[in-house]
Amino acid sequence: MSTEYDNFVGGEWLPSDDGETFTVRNPAATDEIVSRYQRSTEEDVDAAVAAAAAAQPDWAAMPGPERGAILRRTGELLAERKQSLVTTLTTEEGKTTAEATPEVQRAIDIFHYYAEKARDFDGTVKAASGRDKTLHTRKEPMGVAALVTPWNYPIAIPAWKLAPALATGNAVVIKPASEAPSLVRAIVDCLDEAGLPAGVVNFLTGSGSEIGGPLVSHDDVDVVSFTGSTRVGTTVYEQSVADGKRAQCEMGGKNPAVVLPSADIDEAVEVVGAGAFGVTGQACTATSRAIVHEEVYEEFVAGIVDHAQEITVGDGLDGADMGPQVSESELDGTLQYINIAQDEGARLAAGGSRLDEGDHADGHYVEPTVFADVETGMRIAQEEVFGPVLAVIPVSDFDEAVSVANDSEYGLSASVLTDSLSEAERFSRQIETGVVKVNEKTTGLELHVPFGGVKQSSTNTYREQGDAGLEFFTTTKTIYTNF
């Protein structure tokens, strides 16, 4: 029997207004119902926002070190439950245990990081221009934050939104993706146990199409943070700013890895393969395009094909290298792009098929897939697939490589594989992305530095993580005192 979980509103676990629920299934074994959650309504949104608005002033008035102590205790509680959270993440989202474990640790680290930041995040003292005067600034919370988080990093991304929002004195209503809501519920449970005052965090589950709009456009919501697709994120941003709210949306990517002749090709294959097929390609920062110099093109293609064919696909709890896609719709989307690529003339070099026999019969499995001889105008080179599919594009020189890399409506993450310091520096300056890596995979982020994209990958308003996360959730007041 699966467990049914409630919303968390005003410090209480409560059913939705109309009592309707939805099921969450294991993507590795779709006949297994993992849990049931509330299908929330607009009335539930109103209740959650009201609870947050009522609780926020007292939470903001609490000294930063006291708020930080609650965040620190939350991180400790998450650490105590780490193994259980890893299993839950794998069972709901499909990541392998090897991928789920560092993600859970990332969430723990984020709460500890912002616990310390809460101690001394405030304004600055400036010299006044006259005698007998003081001049200083103060950081103040925005108010009520609406957080809409995705399924592909179901504990790390909620953590890097929740922790800075709370550290700076905001109250929160958070809506996780319906495919994997249990990790956010676990964070909320830990916050409650750590002593967070009632109403400061509120947790709603349900369809984004039904409650997402009412949440981000609610009159009493002051700031909105969203991570998800470009299509949905654009709508969220428009709804949010129409009423003058502050908003940030991090969205899709078509991330390139450029392989140049000076690179160690074996190393390049490992780096690109990890970026393309890790987390089943279900990352906004996943390596989707390998742009390879013609001098090493054939060697690279042979290597990446071998790499893809050596990956074991299966249940993440059973030691597989790559797990299933999260849902039937995501799998269908990947298979459609595989067909489109073949129709357009790309050469299928590895994979390309759904796995649906034997141990794969009940899951959303697809082979790691490599297309070679891809042209930059093909849809497989332009549109986000969000699955384990890599398009390999040949180029003749460095300038063409950068031009092809920038030939995209997205601009999130990029990497260059080279042993030339000059090429690395030129690439980092010329590439049109928010994140650039040299001799590293396009995925993987440090928690203490800004993260975000350009073009259609982001609203490019505010960055997330590190001090940038704190800045997004606060406003600055300047105070003049004549004594």
Side-chain angles (χ1 to χ4, degrees):
M1 290 291 291
S2 61
T3 303
E4 180 174 318
Y5 295 106
D6 288 339
N7 291 330
F8 189 68
V9 177
E12 297 184 78
W13 294 100
L14 301 170
S16 63
D17 181 69
D18 62 10
E20 294 293 320
T21 63
F22 64 91
T23 59
V24 179
R25 294 180 180 270
N26 183 346
T30 56
D31 58 346
E32 177 188 343
I33 296 176
V34 178
S35 53
R36 298 180 187 274
Y37 278 89
Q38 304 302 307
R39 190 179 298 278
S40 301
T41 66
E42 190 167 346
E43 287 74 20
D44 296 309
V45 171
D46 289 339
V49 173
Q56 193 273 328
D58 286 344
W59 176 243
M62 182 182 291
E66 292 185 30
R67 294 197 299 269
I70 292 173
L71 298 185
R72 188 179 313 107
R73 180 57 183 153
T74 299
E76 293 168 354
L77 291 169
L78 289 170
E80 292 171 9
R81 303 170 193 184
K82 181 177 178 179
Q83 191 52 56
S84 174
L85 295 173
V86 167
T87 301
T88 298
L89 200 164
T90 297
T91 303
E92 274 196 354
E93 196 271 349
K95 280 188 174 75
T96 66
T97 299
E99 293 164 341
T101 300
E103 181 180 344
V104 173
Q105 185 60 51
R106 170 57 61 90
I108 295 165
D109 294 343
I110 286 169
F111 273 95
H112 288 157
Y113 173 81
Y114 283 109
E116 296 308 310
K117 285 290 185 179
R119 285 179 173 274
D120 59 5
F121 181 75
D122 206 341
T124 57
V125 176
K126 298 291 184 179
S129 58
R131 297 177 184 273
D132 301 328
K133 294 180 180 180
T134 61
L135 180 62
H136 68 282
T137 65
R138 177 182 296 159
K139 296 290 188 181
E140 296 187 344
M142 293 293 295
V144 175
L147 311 181
V148 181
T149 61
W151 51 261
N152 62 324
Y153 284 91
I155 190 167
I157 292 177
W160 82 45
K161 294 180 188 293
L162 270 167
L166 295 174
T168 51
N170 297 275
V172 169
V173 179
I174 185 167
K175 194 209 87 64
S178 297
E179 290 85 351
S182 292
L183 282 305
V184 177
R185 183 194 59 79
I187 293 176
V188 171
D189 190 45
C190 289
L191 284 164
D192 184 40
E193 186 174 331
L196 191 75
V200 174
V201 162
N202 303 272
F203 165 78
L204 297 179
T205 55
S207 167
S209 62
E210 294 176 7
I211 64 171
L215 176 58
V216 302
S217 61
H218 198 287
D219 287 344
D220 291 330
V221 165
D222 302 291
V223 58
V224 175
S225 183
F226 166 90
T227 299
S229 72
T230 298
R231 178 183 61 82
V232 176
T234 300
T235 300
V236 167
Y237 185 72
E238 290 172 351
Q239 289 177 318
S240 302
V241 301
D243 295 327
K245 301 181 191 336
R246 179 180 292 182
Q248 66 177 183
C249 297
E250 293 302 330
M251 303 178 287
K254 194 66 181 173
N255 311 293
V258 170
V259 182
L260 297 171
S262 66
D264 181 310
I265 300 305
D266 289 339
E267 179 183 343
V269 165
E270 292 299 317
V271 170
V272 174
F277 307 126
V279 298
T280 320
Q282 297 178 136
C284 56
T285 54
T287 306
S288 188
R289 297 176 291 156
I291 300 167
V292 185
H293 194 285
E294 59 188 13
E295 289 184 19
V296 293
Y297 180 78
E298 295 300 335
E299 182 182 358
F300 177 84
V301 170
I304 199 68
V305 166
D306 288 344
H307 180 97
Q309 292 174 339
E310 290 171 1
I311 293 172
T312 302
V313 181
D315 190 330
L317 292 176
D318 294 338
D321 300 322
M322 191 181 90
Q325 296 214 244
V326 73
S327 67
E328 186 76 21
S329 63
E330 290 294 333
L331 175 61
D332 287 346
T334 296
L335 295 172
Q336 288 173 10
Y337 272 107
I338 289 172
N339 290 332
I340 289 168
Q342 291 176 290
D343 290 343
E344 289 186 329
R347 174 165 63 91
L348 180 61
S353 297
R354 179 173 185 170
L355 299 172
D356 56 5
E357 296 181 356
D359 293 339
H360 301 115
D362 297 323
H364 304 308
Y365 295 106
V366 64
E367 294 177 308
T369 299
V370 177
F371 282 100
D373 306 337
V374 174
E375 298 176 4
T376 191
M378 293 178 177
R379 289 179 64 186
I380 195 70
Q382 291 293 327
E383 299 176 16
E384 186 176 38
V385 178
F386 226 67
V389 178
L390 177 68
V392 187
I393 305 170
V395 292
S396 60
D397 56 30
F398 176 89
D399 290 336
E400 185 184 3
V402 174
S403 177
V404 171
N406 285 334
D407 182 19
S408 173
E409 66 178 3
Y410 297 106
L412 185 53
S413 182
S415 69
V416 61
L417 287 301
T418 179
D419 277 350
S420 166
L421 180 60
S422 174
E423 288 175 339
E425 183 63 22
R426 288 171 61 200
F427 184 82
S428 68
R429 294 186 183 199
Q430 294 176 26
I431 191 68
E432 297 167 357
T433 58
V435 176
V436 188
K437 296 188 171 186
V438 177
N439 296 325
E440 291 191 11
K441 61 184 180 179
T442 55
T443 54
L445 304 167
E446 296 281 356
L447 64 87
H448 61 294
V449 291
F451 169 69
V454 297
K455 300 181 181 178
Q456 293 301 306
S457 289
S458 173
T459 49
N460 206 21
T461 46
Y462 290 83
R463 293 299 193 229
E464 296 190 282
Q465 302 199 113
D467 289 336
L470 299 168
E471 293 291 342
F472 172 68
F473 288 107
T474 56
T475 186
T476 301
K477 179 182 288 182
T478 303
I479 302 168
Y480 297 77
T481 302
N482 185 337
F483 58 84

PDB file of all heavy atoms in Angstrom, residues 314-341:
ATOM      1  N   GLY A 314      19.310   0.421 -16.327  1.00  0.00           N
ATOM      2  CA  GLY A 314      18.438  -0.372 -15.477  1.00  0.00           C
ATOM      3  C   GLY A 314      17.973   0.395 -14.266  1.00  0.00           C
ATOM      4  O   GLY A 314      18.124   1.619 -14.174  1.00  0.00           O
ATOM      5  N   ASP A 315      17.413  -0.319 -13.311  1.00  0.00           N
ATOM      6  CA  ASP A 315      16.903   0.257 -12.068  1.00  0.00           C
ATOM      7  C   ASP A 315      18.067   0.855 -11.280  1.00  0.00           C
ATOM      8  O   ASP A 315      19.068   0.179 -11.025  1.00  0.00           O
ATOM      9  CB  ASP A 315      16.202  -0.837 -11.254  1.00  0.00           C
ATOM     10  CG  ASP A 315      15.435  -0.303 -10.062  1.00  0.00           C
ATOM     11  OD1 ASP A 315      15.841   0.745  -9.500  1.00  0.00           O
ATOM     12  OD2 ASP A 315      14.437  -0.922  -9.675  1.00  0.00           O
ATOM     13  N   GLY A 316      17.917   2.105 -10.895  1.00  0.00           N
ATOM     14  CA  GLY A 316      18.975   2.783 -10.166  1.00  0.00           C
ATOM     15  C   GLY A 316      19.316   2.167  -8.834  1.00  0.00           C
ATOM     16  O   GLY A 316      20.418   2.362  -8.315  1.00  0.00           O
ATOM     17  N   LEU A 317      18.387   1.397  -8.262  1.00  0.00           N
ATOM     18  CA  LEU A 317      18.649   0.730  -6.992  1.00  0.00           C
ATOM     19  C   LEU A 317      19.448  -0.553  -7.164  1.00  0.00           C
ATOM     20  O   LEU A 317      19.906  -1.136  -6.181  1.00  0.00           O
ATOM     21  CB  LEU A 317      17.330   0.412  -6.276  1.00  0.00           C
ATOM     22  CG  LEU A 317      16.520   1.601  -5.767  1.00  0.00           C
ATOM     23  CD1 LEU A 317      15.203   1.126  -5.173  1.00  0.00           C
ATOM     24  CD2 LEU A 317      17.302   2.398  -4.731  1.00  0.00           C
ATOM     25  N   ASP A 318      19.598  -0.999  -8.409  1.00  0.00           N
ATOM     26  CA  ASP A 318      20.273  -2.274  -8.670  1.00  0.00           C
ATOM     27  C   ASP A 318      21.677  -2.110  -9.224  1.00  0.00           C
ATOM     28  O   ASP A 318      22.242  -3.054  -9.780  1.00  0.00           O
ATOM     29  CB  ASP A 318      19.434  -3.109  -9.655  1.00  0.00           C
ATOM     30  CG  ASP A 318      18.099  -3.535  -9.071  1.00  0.00           C
ATOM     31  OD1 ASP A 318      17.988  -3.573  -7.834  1.00  0.00           O
ATOM     32  OD2 ASP A 318      17.180  -3.829  -9.846  1.00  0.00           O
ATOM     33  N   GLY A 319      22.242  -0.908  -9.121  1.00  0.00           N
ATOM     34  CA  GLY A 319      23.613  -0.708  -9.539  1.00  0.00           C
ATOM     35  C   GLY A 319      23.808  -0.364 -11.002  1.00  0.00           C
ATOM     36  O   GLY A 319      24.930  -0.439 -11.515  1.00  0.00           O
ATOM     37  N   ALA A 320      22.749   0.007 -11.715  1.00  0.00           N
ATOM     38  CA  ALA A 320      22.874   0.383 -13.126  1.00  0.00           C
ATOM     39  C   ALA A 320      23.674   1.677 -13.267  1.00  0.00           C
ATOM     40  O   ALA A 320      23.766   2.489 -12.344  1.00  0.00           O
ATOM     41  CB  ALA A 320      21.490   0.558 -13.745  1.00  0.00           C
ATOM     42  N   ASP A 321      24.257   1.868 -14.467  1.00  0.00           N
ATOM     43  CA  ASP A 321      24.969   3.115 -14.761  1.00  0.00           C
ATOM     44  C   ASP A 321      24.010   4.240 -15.106  1.00  0.00           C
ATOM     45  O   ASP A 321      24.304   5.418 -14.861  1.00  0.00           O
ATOM     46  CB  ASP A 321      25.914   2.915 -15.943  1.00  0.00           C
ATOM     47  CG  ASP A 321      26.965   1.859 -15.695  1.00  0.00           C
ATOM     48  OD1 ASP A 321      27.475   1.781 -14.561  1.00  0.00           O
ATOM     49  OD2 ASP A 321      27.285   1.105 -16.640  1.00  0.00           O
ATOM     50  N   MET A 322      22.871   3.913 -15.715  1.00  0.00           N
ATOM     51  CA  MET A 322      21.888   4.913 -16.139  1.00  0.00           C
ATOM     52  C   MET A 322      20.489   4.394 -15.869  1.00  0.00           C
ATOM     53  O   MET A 322      20.171   3.251 -16.212  1.00  0.00           O
ATOM     54  CB  MET A 322      22.052   5.234 -17.632  1.00  0.00           C
ATOM     55  CG  MET A 322      21.251   6.444 -18.109  1.00  0.00           C
ATOM     56  SD  MET A 322      21.456   6.749 -19.894  1.00  0.00           S
ATOM     57  CE  MET A 322      20.105   5.765 -20.555  1.00  0.00           C
ATOM     58  N   GLY A 323      19.654   5.225 -15.255  1.00  0.00           N
ATOM     59  CA  GLY A 323      18.309   4.823 -14.912  1.00  0.00           C
ATOM     60  C   GLY A 323      17.295   5.157 -15.994  1.00  0.00           C
ATOM     61  O   GLY A 323      17.650   5.564 -17.105  1.00  0.00           O
ATOM     62  N   PRO A 324      16.014   5.018 -15.681  1.00  0.00           N
ATOM     63  CA  PRO A 324      14.950   5.310 -16.636  1.00  0.00           C
ATOM     64  C   PRO A 324      14.691   6.802 -16.765  1.00  0.00           C
ATOM     65  O   PRO A 324      15.159   7.598 -15.944  1.00  0.00           O
ATOM     66  CB  PRO A 324      13.743   4.612 -16.012  1.00  0.00           C
ATOM     67  CG  PRO A 324      14.000   4.734 -14.535  1.00  0.00           C
ATOM     68  CD  PRO A 324      15.483   4.563 -14.381  1.00  0.00           C
ATOM     69  N   GLN A 325      13.931   7.156 -17.785  1.00  0.00           N
ATOM     70  CA  GLN A 325      13.382   8.510 -17.823  1.00  0.00           C
ATOM     71  C   GLN A 325      12.230   8.593 -16.826  1.00  0.00           C
ATOM     72  O   GLN A 325      11.637   7.579 -16.440  1.00  0.00           O
ATOM     73  CB  GLN A 325      12.952   8.867 -19.238  1.00  0.00           C
ATOM     74  CG  GLN A 325      14.141   8.896 -20.194  1.00  0.00           C
ATOM     75  CD  GLN A 325      14.003   9.940 -21.280  1.00  0.00           C
ATOM     76  OE1 GLN A 325      13.917   9.623 -22.448  1.00  0.00           O
ATOM     77  NE2 GLN A 325      14.013  11.201 -20.887  1.00  0.00           N
ATOM     78  N   VAL A 326      11.905   9.794 -16.415  1.00  0.00           N
ATOM     79  CA  VAL A 326      11.014   9.953 -15.272  1.00  0.00           C
ATOM     80  C   VAL A 326       9.575   9.566 -15.571  1.00  0.00           C
ATOM     81  O   VAL A 326       8.835   9.169 -14.680  1.00  0.00           O
ATOM     82  CB  VAL A 326      11.090  11.400 -14.729  1.00  0.00           C
ATOM     83  CG1 VAL A 326      10.373  12.366 -15.677  1.00  0.00           C
ATOM     84  CG2 VAL A 326      10.518  11.496 -13.322  1.00  0.00           C
ATOM     85  N   SER A 327       9.153   9.665 -16.848  1.00  0.00           N
ATOM     86  CA  SER A 327       7.746   9.426 -17.177  1.00  0.00           C
ATOM     87  C   SER A 327       7.608   8.943 -18.612  1.00  0.00           C
ATOM     88  O   SER A 327       8.535   9.050 -19.422  1.00  0.00           O
ATOM     89  CB  SER A 327       6.921  10.702 -16.992  1.00  0.00           C
ATOM     90  OG  SER A 327       7.315  11.682 -17.946  1.00  0.00           O
ATOM     91  N   GLU A 328       6.440   8.428 -18.926  1.00  0.00           N
ATOM     92  CA  GLU A 328       6.155   7.983 -20.283  1.00  0.00           C
ATOM     93  C   GLU A 328       6.228   9.145 -21.261  1.00  0.00           C
ATOM     94  O   GLU A 328       6.728   9.002 -22.382  1.00  0.00           O
ATOM     95  CB  GLU A 328       4.762   7.343 -20.335  1.00  0.00           C
ATOM     96  CG  GLU A 328       4.405   6.709 -21.672  1.00  0.00           C
ATOM     97  CD  GLU A 328       5.100   5.375 -21.894  1.00  0.00           C
ATOM     98  OE1 GLU A 328       5.523   4.744 -20.911  1.00  0.00           O
ATOM     99  OE2 GLU A 328       5.223   4.974 -23.076  1.00  0.00           O
ATOM    100  N   SER A 329       5.743  10.306 -20.853  1.00  0.00           N
ATOM    101  CA  SER A 329       5.758  11.458 -21.759  1.00  0.00           C
ATOM    102  C   SER A 329       7.183  11.904 -22.057  1.00  0.00           C
ATOM    103  O   SER A 329       7.493  12.289 -23.200  1.00  0.00           O
ATOM    104  CB  SER A 329       4.943  12.613 -21.174  1.00  0.00           C
ATOM    105  OG  SER A 329       5.509  13.069 -19.959  1.00  0.00           O
ATOM    106  N   GLU A 330       8.070  11.880 -21.061  1.00  0.00           N
ATOM    107  CA  GLU A 330       9.464  12.244 -21.307  1.00  0.00           C
ATOM    108  C   GLU A 330      10.124  11.228 -22.234  1.00  0.00           C
ATOM    109  O   GLU A 330      10.882  11.593 -23.141  1.00  0.00           O
ATOM    110  CB  GLU A 330      10.231  12.338 -19.985  1.00  0.00           C
ATOM    111  CG  GLU A 330       9.833  13.512 -19.111  1.00  0.00           C
ATOM    112  CD  GLU A 330      10.176  14.859 -19.716  1.00  0.00           C
ATOM    113  OE1 GLU A 330      11.136  14.935 -20.522  1.00  0.00           O
ATOM    114  OE2 GLU A 330       9.497  15.845 -19.401  1.00  0.00           O
ATOM    115  N   LEU A 331       9.856   9.959 -22.015  1.00  0.00           N
ATOM    116  CA  LEU A 331      10.399   8.918 -22.894  1.00  0.00           C
ATOM    117  C   LEU A 331       9.890   9.092 -24.320  1.00  0.00           C
ATOM    118  O   LEU A 331      10.663   9.007 -25.288  1.00  0.00           O
ATOM    119  CB  LEU A 331      10.031   7.548 -22.352  1.00  0.00           C
ATOM    120  CG  LEU A 331      10.423   6.345 -23.218  1.00  0.00           C
ATOM    121  CD1 LEU A 331      11.934   6.281 -23.406  1.00  0.00           C
ATOM    122  CD2 LEU A 331       9.894   5.053 -22.607  1.00  0.00           C
ATOM    123  N   ASP A 332       8.596   9.335 -24.462  1.00  0.00           N
ATOM    124  CA  ASP A 332       8.019   9.536 -25.798  1.00  0.00           C
ATOM    125  C   ASP A 332       8.677  10.714 -26.509  1.00  0.00           C
ATOM    126  O   ASP A 332       8.941  10.663 -27.715  1.00  0.00           O
ATOM    127  CB  ASP A 332       6.513   9.765 -25.691  1.00  0.00           C
ATOM    128  CG  ASP A 332       5.749   8.491 -25.361  1.00  0.00           C
ATOM    129  OD1 ASP A 332       6.336   7.392 -25.481  1.00  0.00           O
ATOM    130  OD2 ASP A 332       4.574   8.595 -24.972  1.00  0.00           O
ATOM    131  N   GLY A 333       8.937  11.792 -25.759  1.00  0.00           N
ATOM    132  CA  GLY A 333       9.585  12.955 -26.360  1.00  0.00           C
ATOM    133  C   GLY A 333      10.974  12.624 -26.870  1.00  0.00           C
ATOM    134  O   GLY A 333      11.366  13.054 -27.966  1.00  0.00           O
ATOM    135  N   THR A 334      11.728  11.859 -26.102  1.00  0.00           N
ATOM    136  CA  THR A 334      13.066  11.453 -26.540  1.00  0.00           C
ATOM    137  C   THR A 334      12.998  10.589 -27.789  1.00  0.00           C
ATOM    138  O   THR A 334      13.757  10.801 -28.755  1.00  0.00           O
ATOM    139  CB  THR A 334      13.772  10.692 -25.407  1.00  0.00           C
ATOM    140  OG1 THR A 334      13.956  11.570 -24.293  1.00  0.00           O
ATOM    141  CG2 THR A 334      15.132  10.172 -25.850  1.00  0.00           C
ATOM    142  N   LEU A 335      12.091   9.615 -27.812  1.00  0.00           N
ATOM    143  CA  LEU A 335      11.957   8.729 -28.971  1.00  0.00           C
ATOM    144  C   LEU A 335      11.522   9.507 -30.216  1.00  0.00           C
ATOM    145  O   LEU A 335      11.966   9.200 -31.330  1.00  0.00           O
ATOM    146  CB  LEU A 335      10.968   7.616 -28.655  1.00  0.00           C
ATOM    147  CG  LEU A 335      11.410   6.641 -27.551  1.00  0.00           C
ATOM    148  CD1 LEU A 335      10.274   5.685 -27.186  1.00  0.00           C
ATOM    149  CD2 LEU A 335      12.650   5.858 -27.966  1.00  0.00           C
ATOM    150  N   GLN A 336      10.686  10.514 -30.026  1.00  0.00           N
ATOM    151  CA  GLN A 336      10.275  11.344 -31.160  1.00  0.00           C
ATOM    152  C   GLN A 336      11.468  12.080 -31.760  1.00  0.00           C
ATOM    153  O   GLN A 336      11.611  12.168 -32.994  1.00  0.00           O
ATOM    154  CB  GLN A 336       9.198  12.337 -30.718  1.00  0.00           C
ATOM    155  CG  GLN A 336       7.841  11.699 -30.457  1.00  0.00           C
ATOM    156  CD  GLN A 336       6.854  12.677 -29.856  1.00  0.00           C
ATOM    157  OE1 GLN A 336       7.100  13.874 -29.791  1.00  0.00           O
ATOM    158  NE2 GLN A 336       5.709  12.166 -29.405  1.00  0.00           N
ATOM    159  N   TYR A 337      12.347  12.615 -30.909  1.00  0.00           N
ATOM    160  CA  TYR A 337      13.522  13.318 -31.423  1.00  0.00           C
ATOM    161  C   TYR A 337      14.493  12.364 -32.109  1.00  0.00           C
ATOM    162  O   TYR A 337      15.167  12.735 -33.083  1.00  0.00           O
ATOM    163  CB  TYR A 337      14.220  14.089 -30.311  1.00  0.00           C
ATOM    164  CG  TYR A 337      13.663  15.477 -30.134  1.00  0.00           C
ATOM    165  CD1 TYR A 337      12.877  15.809 -29.046  1.00  0.00           C
ATOM    166  CD2 TYR A 337      13.910  16.461 -31.090  1.00  0.00           C
ATOM    167  CE1 TYR A 337      12.352  17.086 -28.887  1.00  0.00           C
ATOM    168  CE2 TYR A 337      13.391  17.741 -30.950  1.00  0.00           C
ATOM    169  CZ  TYR A 337      12.615  18.049 -29.850  1.00  0.00           C
ATOM    170  OH  TYR A 337      12.094  19.310 -29.711  1.00  0.00           O
ATOM    171  N   ILE A 338      14.576  11.138 -31.629  1.00  0.00           N
ATOM    172  CA  ILE A 338      15.417  10.141 -32.298  1.00  0.00           C
ATOM    173  C   ILE A 338      14.895   9.890 -33.714  1.00  0.00           C
ATOM    174  O   ILE A 338      15.669   9.825 -34.680  1.00  0.00           O
ATOM    175  CB  ILE A 338      15.465   8.850 -31.466  1.00  0.00           C
ATOM    176  CG1 ILE A 338      16.288   9.080 -30.190  1.00  0.00           C
ATOM    177  CG2 ILE A 338      16.050   7.699 -32.278  1.00  0.00           C
ATOM    178  CD1 ILE A 338      16.242   7.939 -29.197  1.00  0.00           C
ATOM    179  N   ASN A 339      13.592   9.782 -33.855  1.00  0.00           N
ATOM    180  CA  ASN A 339      12.999   9.600 -35.186  1.00  0.00           C
ATOM    181  C   ASN A 339      13.213  10.824 -36.070  1.00  0.00           C
ATOM    182  O   ASN A 339      13.524  10.708 -37.262  1.00  0.00           O
ATOM    183  CB  ASN A 339      11.506   9.297 -35.058  1.00  0.00           C
ATOM    184  CG  ASN A 339      11.232   7.928 -34.466  1.00  0.00           C
ATOM    185  OD1 ASN A 339      12.049   7.015 -34.606  1.00  0.00           O
ATOM    186  ND2 ASN A 339      10.091   7.786 -33.808  1.00  0.00           N
ATOM    187  N   ILE A 340      13.041  12.010 -35.488  1.00  0.00           N
ATOM    188  CA  ILE A 340      13.235  13.252 -36.242  1.00  0.00           C
ATOM    189  C   ILE A 340      14.670  13.339 -36.756  1.00  0.00           C
ATOM    190  O   ILE A 340      14.916  13.698 -37.921  1.00  0.00           O
ATOM    191  CB  ILE A 340      12.900  14.471 -35.359  1.00  0.00           C
ATOM    192  CG1 ILE A 340      11.386  14.554 -35.127  1.00  0.00           C
ATOM    193  CG2 ILE A 340      13.415  15.763 -35.993  1.00  0.00           C
ATOM    194  CD1 ILE A 340      10.994  15.540 -34.043  1.00  0.00           C
ATOM    195  N   ALA A 341      15.641  13.012 -35.906  1.00  0.00           N
ATOM    196  CA  ALA A 341      17.043  13.087 -36.301  1.00  0.00           C
ATOM    197  C   ALA A 341      17.343  12.160 -37.470  1.00  0.00           C
ATOM    198  O   ALA A 341      18.060  12.531 -38.417  1.00  0.00           O
ATOM    199  CB  ALA A 341      17.941  12.754 -35.117  1.00  0.00           C
TER     200      ALA A 341
END
